[in-house]
Amino acid sequence: MNLSPQKQALNFFMSHALSNALFLWLEFRLFVARRQTLTGVDSANEPHTADSLLKTWFDQSDYDQAGAISSSLYWMLMAGAGMFAMAGVLTVSVMQPINIWWPLWLFAFLPFLMTLVSLLVSLVRKPKTVKGQGLLFRWVNRVGFARFAGHERLLVRWMLWVRQFGLLAFLLSAIAAFFLIAMFQDIQFVWSSTFVRTADGMKIVFDIIALPWSWFYDAPSVSQVAASHAGNLLSAKPMTENTMWTFVLMAVVFYGLLPRLVLVSFSYYRLRKQLARDIEASSDIEQFIVLHQHRESQNALVADKEFSGLKPVEILQATHDLVGWQLTQSDFPLIRILGVGDWQDDESWLTSEQAKRNKPVMMLADIWSTPTGELADCLAELSKKNKSVSLVIVAKQDLDARSETQIRSWQFFAEQQSIELGLGV
Amino acid sequence: MKNLPQFAVVGHPNKGKSSIVSTLTRQDAVQVSEISGTTTESQAFSLSLSGEAQYTLYDTPGFQRPRQVLAWLENHAQNAAERVSAVKKFLDEFVTEPGGKFHDEVELLTPIMNGAGIIYVVDGSKPYSPEFEAEMSILQWTSQPRMAMINPIGGEAFVDEWRSALSQYFNIVRVFDPMTADARKQESVLSAFAELHEPWRTDLERTLTALNKYRDQLRSQGAFIVVENWLKAMTHQETLKVPASFAKNALEQQLRQRYQQSLQDIESRMRRDLQSLFAHTQLQTDMDSLDANIPDLFDKSSWYMFGLDRQKIIALSTSAGAAAGVVIDVGLGGASLMAGALAGGLVSGAASFAATLKPEKLKIKGVPVAGEMLTAGPVGNLAFAFVLLGRAIDFYDTVAQRTHGDRRTVTVKHTRFDERLERLSKSEQIRLTRTVQKAHKGLADNDLLQLREWVQTLCSN
């Protein structure tokens, strides 16, 4: 069974990367809103499916991927920032031990806190309007998205996802920088504290921090904690064990990276779901199809000419020979009724000498009969034999609004046949 | 290409053939004229549902010389068995005569002889007369499946008379007014099509099912257009800076006009979308324009240089203070336990809070950097919110019920919203009111979808 146009559209847009899918969809909505049509689509042929029309639209659109490019640029910027931040922390004091709280705070605890806040905010505050998104929108508008005004709900979700992904890129590149620097430099992490002075005391703190990964990797032992006390540096004791880097790395991964990854996935899922829902609920696909299905009538006559009022004509036997057109029930003294019975009878009368009259001929027709080619033929035949032939329409009842339209039909006919028309009184 | 059911809509000129084609194929581009004889060529129009063609109707010119054609046919057929070949011969003889005497008959008979079923259209408001018999005889000669449609253009005075005459020539006779036919009437005509020719029955029954589904889809999408645009109007805001208090009244007036214009623009976009969805792109509508003269329209706040609001300024200066504090913390090797950042943020935030208390007094070298800001919208007035929704539903209802053959300017009738509300249960009415009440702050996706359902229920279509 064929997919519905909405499903076809969903498959079409979702076959692109998420940012591209979103901006293609928004571009498409703008295209439909402007009532533009595709070139080269001939609606006289087989009606087009949503999929084929969308593919043609894609080929003809000048989609510039600005949205996808701007998000990629932002992610690269964040990745660069992450790398520099980690490099800064690790090399701030060349060849000197590094206070362990700095990397833990900057790359584990602070990101964890921010992740929690972001999660709470995104759960509590639904992206209903742009209110509160002013700065983000200003950035978005800078890259030319102002034209998508009215689609803020989707854009806000997209920006939340881009932002979360940027922070993920920040942490990933920070970890990469960590390994890069650690490869060529012996990084010593030490701890110091005003309140916790002993290794046993700090061991408890480290154990609590290491809880998320303690099921597969141990927290630093008391001896390792003791060896990494900043006091060792002051007493110039050589540090025999340098295992604190694994602790820092684990903290960055478990507090910084993984929660952020979950949040990124969550944001991605929500954006994708909302985009899918927007595509499915929207009427744009149907409007787009309808727009390309419309066919104008070919060579239809346009009778938009304004006719003036019809001239009243007195029907007098004394001055005219009266011929009836389909007037089977008439009080007028008609010399012949045409348009009823066989055509051959009419034809033989029209071509006979009987049709040649001494007086001007007046063809009478009921206003509600329809002017046709046969009437035109009869008038033409009569005109061949008589100098004056006129057409007069008669009404049995008073004229109403619909009669006006019918009179216009007669006027249109008379003009086409170049014959004088009157309204019988 | 699939062999679709096809029908030629034929008859005397000016009996509403084009209107019938237009209504039954949902095409408002079919030229419909009150003037007789404007259709000069046969043209195929398909009913397409979501891009899939269901059946084809041929709009044809009316019979112009039926008695002459019948005479010609009678001269070329010795017996009943030769009638079909006589019609074919007629077409062969006159098809090469463009603009010739029998142009219109050739145009209307060609699709029939190519396999189309016949729908013969007559005017039920005018009496039957024998001159139609030539037309009906010609159609009989084609031996194609045929039905008659009585179009009560100006009333049904002669429907019975027509019915008894037509039933002698046609397998099925139906009364169908393309101007007012609702979905049920259209379905009944489609059912008649299905009865006409057995091989098309399955396709046409499938079309009936697809048409019902399509109507549901249109109703749902139309309701979504209403809801989306109504929400846009509800949340719309216009702002204007007031540089000096003496200009305030004039600016209020200007802002009111701008706001009203914006709401009118949103409403006209919604109408255009609805017309486009229901394939009524050429429909002329008459609806009174929206008046946004609502009480308590304006809200006053303050503006600041760089376009930031007060909240942002305080937040930014708090951040800047905290950043300065961090520098101190770094200098102390972290021993201060981030106290510098905390203190810096607090002090800076409090300072900017105090500085922005009276924005009109904020000046740099005598130039004001802040002042009063007038804001119109969003729509907080519940009554006006219902007016907006009611107007949108009225229009949606009108367009959804309009047939494509009816080309008169449509006047949108306003239905009292409380009458519409009766279609919802009491608890739904309360939920709807609550949703409308909070809509000016924006609605979540689920609220929007729920509102769409309600709008569908509130409509009479």
mmCIF file of all heavy atoms in Angstrom, chain A residues 14-16 18 267-277:
data_model
loop_
_atom_site.group_PDB
_atom_site.id
_atom_site.type_symbol
_atom_site.label_atom_id
_atom_site.label_comp_id
_atom_site.label_asym_id
_atom_site.label_seq_id
_atom_site.Cartn_x
_atom_site.Cartn_y
_atom_site.Cartn_z
ATOM 1 N N MET A 14 13.635 13.318 6.767
ATOM 2 C CA MET A 14 14.429 12.663 7.801
ATOM 3 C C MET A 14 15.594 11.850 7.217
ATOM 4 O O MET A 14 16.403 11.328 7.968
ATOM 5 C CB MET A 14 13.543 11.756 8.657
ATOM 6 C CG MET A 14 12.603 12.546 9.546
ATOM 7 S SD MET A 14 13.494 13.744 10.557
ATOM 8 C CE MET A 14 12.244 14.207 11.703
ATOM 9 N N SER A 15 15.647 11.744 5.902
ATOM 10 C CA SER A 15 16.793 11.038 5.322
ATOM 11 C C SER A 15 18.037 11.924 5.354
ATOM 12 O O SER A 15 19.135 11.475 5.063
ATOM 13 C CB SER A 15 16.484 10.624 3.884
ATOM 14 O OG SER A 15 16.318 11.777 3.084
ATOM 15 N N HIS A 16 17.855 13.186 5.726
ATOM 16 C CA HIS A 16 19.004 14.093 5.847
ATOM 17 C C HIS A 16 19.440 14.176 7.309
ATOM 18 O O HIS A 16 18.684 13.813 8.207
ATOM 19 C CB HIS A 16 18.624 15.491 5.350
ATOM 20 C CG HIS A 16 18.254 15.527 3.904
ATOM 21 N ND1 HIS A 16 16.982 15.250 3.451
ATOM 22 C CD2 HIS A 16 18.985 15.774 2.793
ATOM 23 C CE1 HIS A 16 16.952 15.339 2.132
ATOM 24 N NE2 HIS A 16 18.154 15.654 1.714
ATOM 25 N N LEU A 18 20.101 15.802 10.892
ATOM 26 C CA LEU A 18 19.020 16.497 11.596
ATOM 27 C C LEU A 18 18.958 18.005 11.300
ATOM 28 O O LEU A 18 17.884 18.542 11.046
ATOM 29 C CB LEU A 18 19.133 16.234 13.098
ATOM 30 C CG LEU A 18 17.905 16.624 13.907
ATOM 31 C CD1 LEU A 18 16.641 15.979 13.398
ATOM 32 C CD2 LEU A 18 18.104 16.277 15.373
ATOM 33 N N SER A 267 18.162 15.645 23.827
ATOM 34 C CA SER A 267 17.817 16.828 23.033
ATOM 35 C C SER A 267 17.612 16.437 21.577
ATOM 36 O O SER A 267 16.696 16.938 20.910
ATOM 37 C CB SER A 267 18.918 17.890 23.080
ATOM 38 O OG SER A 267 19.289 18.140 24.376
ATOM 39 N N TYR A 268 18.473 15.543 21.085
ATOM 40 C CA TYR A 268 18.379 15.091 19.697
ATOM 41 C C TYR A 268 17.037 14.382 19.476
ATOM 42 O O TYR A 268 16.323 14.657 18.521
ATOM 43 C CB TYR A 268 19.539 14.138 19.407
ATOM 44 C CG TYR A 268 19.551 13.556 18.015
ATOM 45 C CD1 TYR A 268 20.189 14.224 16.969
ATOM 46 C CD2 TYR A 268 18.938 12.338 17.736
ATOM 47 C CE1 TYR A 268 20.198 13.700 15.685
ATOM 48 C CE2 TYR A 268 18.937 11.810 16.460
ATOM 49 C CZ TYR A 268 19.570 12.496 15.437
ATOM 50 O OH TYR A 268 19.566 11.970 14.170
ATOM 51 N N TYR A 269 16.712 13.510 20.417
ATOM 52 C CA TYR A 269 15.474 12.744 20.306
ATOM 53 C C TYR A 269 14.265 13.685 20.311
ATOM 54 O O TYR A 269 13.339 13.551 19.509
ATOM 55 C CB TYR A 269 15.413 11.742 21.465
ATOM 56 C CG TYR A 269 14.042 11.162 21.702
ATOM 57 C CD1 TYR A 269 13.529 10.172 20.861
ATOM 58 C CD2 TYR A 269 13.255 11.608 22.764
ATOM 59 C CE1 TYR A 269 12.268 9.652 21.072
ATOM 60 C CE2 TYR A 269 11.987 11.089 22.972
ATOM 61 C CZ TYR A 269 11.495 10.115 22.126
ATOM 62 O OH TYR A 269 10.250 9.605 22.328
ATOM 63 N N ARG A 270 14.312 14.676 21.214
ATOM 64 C CA ARG A 270 13.168 15.580 21.315
ATOM 65 C C ARG A 270 13.019 16.449 20.080
ATOM 66 O O ARG A 270 11.911 16.689 19.604
ATOM 67 C CB ARG A 270 13.319 16.465 22.557
ATOM 68 C CG ARG A 270 13.243 15.650 23.833
ATOM 69 C CD ARG A 270 12.364 16.259 24.856
ATOM 70 N NE ARG A 270 12.846 17.550 25.310
ATOM 71 C CZ ARG A 270 12.246 18.229 26.271
ATOM 72 N NH1 ARG A 270 11.176 17.735 26.865
ATOM 73 N NH2 ARG A 270 12.702 19.390 26.655
ATOM 74 N N LEU A 271 14.148 16.913 19.549
ATOM 75 C CA LEU A 271 14.091 17.728 18.336
ATOM 76 C C LEU A 271 13.559 16.896 17.173
ATOM 77 O O LEU A 271 12.694 17.330 16.410
ATOM 78 C CB LEU A 271 15.487 18.277 18.000
ATOM 79 C CG LEU A 271 15.620 18.975 16.650
ATOM 80 C CD1 LEU A 271 14.703 20.186 16.552
ATOM 81 C CD2 LEU A 271 17.064 19.422 16.407
ATOM 82 N N ARG A 272 14.078 15.698 17.049
ATOM 83 C CA ARG A 272 13.674 14.809 15.962
ATOM 84 C C ARG A 272 12.169 14.493 16.053
ATOM 85 O O ARG A 272 11.452 14.519 15.055
ATOM 86 C CB ARG A 272 14.501 13.519 16.057
ATOM 87 C CG ARG A 272 14.546 12.763 14.767
ATOM 88 C CD ARG A 272 15.388 11.507 14.907
ATOM 89 N NE ARG A 272 14.999 10.586 13.867
ATOM 90 C CZ ARG A 272 15.451 10.616 12.629
ATOM 91 N NH1 ARG A 272 16.358 11.498 12.286
ATOM 92 N NH2 ARG A 272 15.021 9.769 11.721
ATOM 93 N N LYS A 273 11.746 14.249 17.285
ATOM 94 C CA LYS A 273 10.340 13.916 17.496
ATOM 95 C C LYS A 273 9.450 15.117 17.139
ATOM 96 O O LYS A 273 8.420 14.967 16.483
ATOM 97 C CB LYS A 273 10.151 13.527 18.971
ATOM 98 C CG LYS A 273 8.817 12.890 19.273
ATOM 99 C CD LYS A 273 8.783 12.425 20.706
ATOM 100 C CE LYS A 273 7.358 12.439 21.215
ATOM 101 N NZ LYS A 273 7.262 12.361 22.645
ATOM 102 N N GLN A 274 9.882 16.288 17.582
ATOM 103 C CA GLN A 274 9.067 17.475 17.302
ATOM 104 C C GLN A 274 9.043 17.792 15.809
ATOM 105 O O GLN A 274 8.001 18.169 15.262
ATOM 106 C CB GLN A 274 9.594 18.677 18.077
ATOM 107 C CG GLN A 274 8.712 19.898 17.825
ATOM 108 C CD GLN A 274 8.815 20.930 18.913
ATOM 109 O OE1 GLN A 274 9.618 20.781 19.830
ATOM 110 N NE2 GLN A 274 8.020 21.965 18.824
ATOM 111 N N LEU A 275 10.188 17.616 15.168
ATOM 112 C CA LEU A 275 10.248 17.866 13.729
ATOM 113 C C LEU A 275 9.320 16.890 12.999
ATOM 114 O O LEU A 275 8.556 17.283 12.103
ATOM 115 C CB LEU A 275 11.692 17.711 13.228
ATOM 116 C CG LEU A 275 11.924 17.919 11.732
ATOM 117 C CD1 LEU A 275 11.470 19.298 11.280
ATOM 118 C CD2 LEU A 275 13.399 17.725 11.383
ATOM 119 N N ALA A 276 9.385 15.626 13.406
ATOM 120 C CA ALA A 276 8.532 14.610 12.777
ATOM 121 C C ALA A 276 7.059 14.960 12.983
ATOM 122 O O ALA A 276 6.244 14.860 12.072
ATOM 123 C CB ALA A 276 8.849 13.238 13.353
ATOM 124 N N ARG A 277 6.748 15.401 14.189
ATOM 125 C CA ARG A 277 5.358 15.736 14.494
ATOM 126 C C ARG A 277 4.904 16.946 13.674
ATOM 127 O O ARG A 277 3.784 16.994 13.175
ATOM 128 C CB ARG A 277 5.232 16.025 15.993
ATOM 129 C CG ARG A 277 3.812 16.139 16.448
ATOM 130 C CD ARG A 277 3.613 15.668 17.846
ATOM 131 N NE ARG A 277 4.359 16.452 18.816
ATOM 132 C CZ ARG A 277 4.369 16.202 20.116
ATOM 133 N NH1 ARG A 277 3.688 15.200 20.589
ATOM 134 N NH2 ARG A 277 5.072 16.938 20.938
#
